[in-house]
Amino acid sequence: MIAELGQFAIIMALLAAIAQSILPLIGAERLDSRLMAFGSQASLVQLLFVILAFGCLTQAYIVSDFTLVNVAENSHSTKPLLYKISGVWGNHEGSMLLWILILAVFGAAVAAFGRNLPVTLKARVLAVQAMIGVGFLTFLIFTSNPFTRLLVPPENGRDLNPLLQDPGLAFHPPMLYIGYVGFSVAFSFAIAALIEGKVDAAWARWVRPWTLTAWTFLTGGIALGSWWAYYELGWGGWWFWDPVENVSFMPWLMGTALLHSAIVVEKRNSLKVWTILLAILTFSLSLIGTFIVRSGLLTSVHAFAVNPERGIFILFLLAIAIGGSLALFAFRAPSLKAGGIFSPISREGGLLLNNLLLSTACATVFLGTLYPLFMEALGGGRVSIGPPFYNNTFVPVMVPLLLLVCVGPLLPWKRADLIGVLGRLKYAGLATILAILAAWYITEGGPLLAILGLGMAAWLLLGTLSEWADKIKLFRAPLATSWQRMVKLPGSAWGMTLAHGGLAIAVAGMISTSAWKVEDVAVLKPGETISVAGTDYRFDGVRELTGPNYQAVEGTFTVSQNGEFMAILKPEKRLYNVQKMPTTEAAIYSTFVGDYYAVIGDQVEDGGWTVRIYREPMVTWIWFGCTLMVLAGLLSLADRRLRVGAPAGKRKQGKRKQKSHQNAAA
């Protein structure tokens, strides 16, 4: 009965979405307030039905209802409760239902919090948002129904993929999906603006908080996935340029460009057409990522679906959503009024250069991800594109961007004196040179490019701090005055400083662990010791463990340096009872300067065990920097200026114009 209720809820949600995608558009065209208001009501109804459907599927997982095909194939009665719940989205059908739930939440949020929006714009935004929902609800019902019954249910299920039975993977997909789907709101605003033929500062002010929300969660989701891969897969790496990693990274790059471009629209009424295009492309990349992962084109732990019918359906949705939006853009964009003129050396120019570099970097990742698929589809055989390609294409594009990040905020609007701006960064430059010399001394002279990379990260961090100090007039005014200015800094100012500073810290961690990582593989018997990067690891032996749904072998290592005890590491090698799939649970001891990382493998014939030991310099800086970036997004969202919409004067002016139109229509 619960499954049938969930099926009914999905169908009702589809009907509500269809009505929401049509009637508000008609109301906006006719200036009919009742039809326009229907969009808000329908979005709430749609959300309630989707919540009901998601709740029904979750309940089926919790009680292990193996009469559902979806539950039988992705759960087991002995699985811990956390992984029963996370199993809801640990498969194709459930993950698509989660996608639709988040989409409905964003649509209802626009309806609930968009009271400052012009009613015609709000109606069109909600209609476009509902059109996306129609596509995915149709896809769910006809190709990916999570409530399909099983005639002969098994006593127990097939269990969830053991790699997904981890706390990191329990929360990683929802965060990632909030980022993916959150960009749909910016997309809907862009399409609505093209229909109305109007983009102004108020429009940009309304778009920014939704874009910032998506960017914040996508940043957290990518970081969490990277952290999971680092400690769970046992390879000691944090990023491999895997296609599934790339499809989440591409909308992040384009979304970052969109955030900066929207600032120019809001402050200077420039780059309007470009910002609209970025909003379309950012969400389009989210949809393309869905197609790549869900269609089965990739063989990966993340690729849940291997079904040509689903792939063709998603490809059809992509053609309508992306092709239709780009066609509308080509038709309507020329009618948008051009914005203000600015000098190339200005804050507008700096943000435009930021956008161009981010877009170019995204294009290189896009090419590297899809080129092998195109070649295989055209009969060219399998082509492998790995880290060397991205190191030679992506990194050179990002270097100038990172060097310029701390310069841009110091540039005034419209026209700037570049020499004068660089003069304000002279102390940051001197400190950067000292940092490079210190890195050269500590690392004993190499590698040179890595040392220069650390200098670049230091420049970014010190330049960001210099810009913050300049805002509060630190050392240029009495400390009491600087304190007052600091306290009064808006949330968005703090957010920018933290985001740029967090990026600098993360980059330093990426460079350090890539350049100075040390790895050693050996066969050890209990009591034997291996020395890696000046640290001793004594193998004390193994013991067998029994988990709730797996058997494990746990090794014990005593870590010491110069004869002094540091830590005990206990890595595991697990074998899950149902799927008979082994997994690695690395043991990690983290410090400020790096990680001590141990992995235990298989036993060999002479009684020894294969072990892998890694020394990971500054690797935790990556996730600390990403955490600062997430905090930066949350602080910026707390800024009242991003929550009130357009300034009061502009809102009143817009309401007067709208009222005059309604009177004329009457």
Side-chain angles (χ1 to χ4, degrees):
M1 182 63 184
I2 294 295
E4 285 68 31
L5 180 61
Q7 182 70 58
F8 172 77
I10 292 177
I11 295 173
M12 294 303 296
L14 174 61
L15 295 177
I18 292 173
Q20 181 186 337
S21 64
I22 297 173
L23 297 181
L25 280 181
I26 297 174
E29 187 65 27
R30 297 179 178 178
L31 295 178
D32 187 324
S33 59
R34 290 176 299 177
L35 290 180
M36 288 189 287
F38 177 80
S40 297
Q41 299 163 0
S43 67
L44 296 175
V45 171
Q46 182 191 162
L47 174 61
L48 290 176
F49 279 118
V50 175
I51 289 176
L52 177 59
F54 192 82
C56 289
L57 185 60
T58 302
Q59 192 269 348
Y61 268 86
I62 291 175
V63 301
S64 297
D65 183 1
F66 298 123
T67 64
L68 293 184
V69 175
N70 185 261
V71 180
E73 291 184 349
N74 299 283
S75 190
H76 194 275
S77 56
T78 62
K79 193 168 61 173
L81 179 61
L82 173 63
Y83 303 130
K84 286 185 178 181
I85 296 174
S86 64
V88 175
W89 54 80
N91 60 88
H92 170 76
E93 294 83 1
S95 66
M96 294 311 300
L97 183 56
L98 176 64
W99 178 287
I100 293 168
L101 173 63
I102 296 172
L103 184 70
V105 168
F106 272 102
V110 173
F113 300 111
R115 291 185 293 271
N116 293 325
L117 289 169
V119 290
T120 53
L121 178 63
K122 181 179 179 180
R124 290 182 171 117
V125 168
L126 290 174
V128 176
Q129 195 77 2
M131 291 178 188
I132 302 170
V134 169
F136 278 91
L137 282 164
T138 304
F139 172 74
L140 188 73
I141 291 172
F142 291 102
T143 72
S144 308
N145 189 352
F147 296 105
T148 301
R149 287 287 191 182
L150 193 60
L151 293 178
V152 183
E155 182 179 353
N156 286 299
R158 294 177 57 188
D159 205 3
L160 180 66
N161 186 328
L163 287 175
L164 303 181
Q165 295 187 41
D166 181 87
L169 259 291
F171 302 103
H172 163 66
M175 291 186 69
L176 211 59
Y177 285 5
I178 293 174
Y180 278 156
V181 184
F183 287 124
S184 67
V185 180
F187 173 84
S188 298
F189 269 95
I191 299 302
L194 288 174
I195 295 173
E196 289 197 347
K198 179 184 178 182
V199 179
D200 55 15
W203 177 89
R205 175 88 49 101
W206 287 313
V207 166
R208 278 181 63 197
W210 303 105
T211 305
L212 186 58
T213 300
W215 180 89
T216 300
F217 278 94
L218 187 57
T219 302
I222 293 173
L224 190 58
S226 172
W227 181 56
W228 168 82
Y230 172 70
Y231 73 79
E232 175 68 20
L233 300 183
W235 61 302
W238 52 274
W239 191 265
F240 194 66
W241 293 107
D242 178 88
V244 179
E245 294 173 334
N246 293 349
V247 297
S248 63
F249 191 42
M250 288 188 290
W252 185 89
L253 290 169
M254 202 61 75
T256 304
L258 174 60
L259 271 177
H260 290 83
S261 182
I263 294 173
V264 181
V265 179
E266 179 185 346
K267 301 296 185 182
R268 294 289 301 156
N269 204 30
S270 298
L271 303 183
K272 293 187 289 188
V273 174
W274 172 248
T275 304
I276 290 287
L277 180 60
L278 283 178
I280 293 173
L281 292 179
T282 301
F283 184 60
S284 296
L285 288 171
S286 296
L287 293 177
I288 290 172
T290 300
F291 169 65
I292 290 176
V293 176
R294 305 292 173 235
S295 65
L297 282 175
L298 302 176
T299 302
S300 162
V301 65
H302 305 79
F304 303 126
V306 182
N307 188 319
E309 180 184 352
R310 291 171 177 167
I312 293 173
F313 199 111
I314 295 179
L315 187 60
F316 178 70
L317 290 178
L318 286 179
I320 294 177
I322 300 176
S325 60
L326 291 177
L328 178 63
F329 174 81
F331 178 71
R332 296 287 292 174
S335 64
L336 297 177
K337 294 182 180 179
I341 300 175
F342 55 87
S343 168
I345 308 299
S346 62
R347 185 173 294 191
E348 297 96 321
L351 290 171
L352 178 58
L353 180 59
N354 159 289
N355 275 213
L356 294 176
L357 290 172
L358 284 169
S359 300
T360 304
C362 183
T364 65
V365 179
F366 183 86
L367 178 63
T369 303
L370 295 188
Y371 178 75
L373 302 179
F374 287 137
M375 287 297 295
E376 187 175 355
L378 296 175
R382 286 186 172 270
V383 178
S384 177
I385 292 182
F389 168 81
Y390 298 100
N391 292 338
N392 292 323
T393 57
F394 178 83
V395 173
V397 176
M398 293 302 292
V399 167
L401 175 64
L402 294 174
L403 291 174
L404 294 172
V405 163
C406 58
V407 178
L410 291 172
L411 296 171
W413 296 105
K414 197 172 183 179
R415 184 177 292 105
D417 175 17
L418 183 59
I419 301 299
V421 169
L422 292 177
R424 294 158 66 184
L425 291 170
K426 57 181 179 294
Y427 295 115
L430 291 173
T432 299
I433 294 173
L434 293 176
I436 292 174
L437 294 175
W440 179 279
Y441 175 77
I442 293 172
T443 62
E444 299 180 353
L448 178 60
L449 289 179
I451 292 173
L452 294 177
L454 286 181
M456 176 185 65
W459 163 257
L460 174 54
L461 179 60
L462 295 168
T464 298
L465 293 176
S466 296
E467 188 271 338
W468 172 80
D470 188 71
K471 282 180 181 176
I472 65 172
K473 295 186 176 181
L474 188 64
F475 306 128
R476 295 189 293 113
L479 286 178
T481 302
S482 296
W483 174 262
Q484 291 176 356
R485 292 177 66 88
M486 183 183 71
V487 171
K488 293 180 180 179
L489 280 179
S492 58
W494 281 107
M496 183 186 70
T497 299
L498 278 179
H500 292 173
L503 178 61
I505 293 171
V507 168
M510 295 172 190
I511 293 170
S512 298
T513 192
S514 299
W516 293 288
K517 174 180 176 178
V518 179
E519 173 187 356
D520 200 353
V521 181
V523 175
L524 298 180
K525 294 181 179 180
E528 294 182 341
T529 300
I530 182 175
S531 182
V532 178
T535 304
D536 295 326
Y537 298 78
R538 189 185 70 221
F539 180 46
D540 297 326
V542 300
R543 65 168 183 154
E544 294 184 355
L545 298 175
T546 299
N549 59 341
Y550 63 83
Q551 304 296 317
V553 172
E554 179 189 76
T556 301
F557 293 84
T558 299
V559 185
S560 60
Q561 200 169 66
N562 299 323
E564 294 186 6
F565 172 81
M566 292 180 60
I568 297 290
L569 297 181
K570 294 186 176 183
E572 295 181 18
K573 184 177 180 64
R574 295 178 179 177
L575 182 66
Y576 282 77
N577 300 332
V578 178
Q579 296 197 8
K580 302 301 180 183
M581 178 179 175
T583 65
T584 299
E585 302 293 324
I588 304 171
Y589 175 63
S590 297
T591 68
F592 177 77
V593 295
D595 281 4
Y596 302 85
Y597 187 111
V599 177
I600 188 166
D602 297 321
Q603 188 175 23
V604 298
E605 293 180 357
D606 65 354
W609 292 81
T610 302
V611 301
R612 293 198 307 276
I613 305 296
Y614 299 91
R615 180 73 172 98
E616 302 273 1
M618 296 170 59
V619 68
T620 53
W621 289 36
I622 298 173
W623 300 294
F624 177 65
C626 291
T627 302
L628 288 181
M629 294 167 71
V630 172
L631 180 60
L634 297 176
L635 278 175
S636 296
L637 285 170
D639 192 329
R640 183 176 179 274
R641 296 177 302 174
L642 291 184
R643 292 184 283 110
V644 297
K650 292 184 179 180
R651 291 201 305 270
K652 292 177 181 178
Q653 183 180 1
K655 290 180 180 178
R656 284 197 297 268
K657 289 182 178 179
Q658 183 181 323
K659 187 174 181 181
S660 65
H661 287 315
Q662 292 174 340
N663 291 338

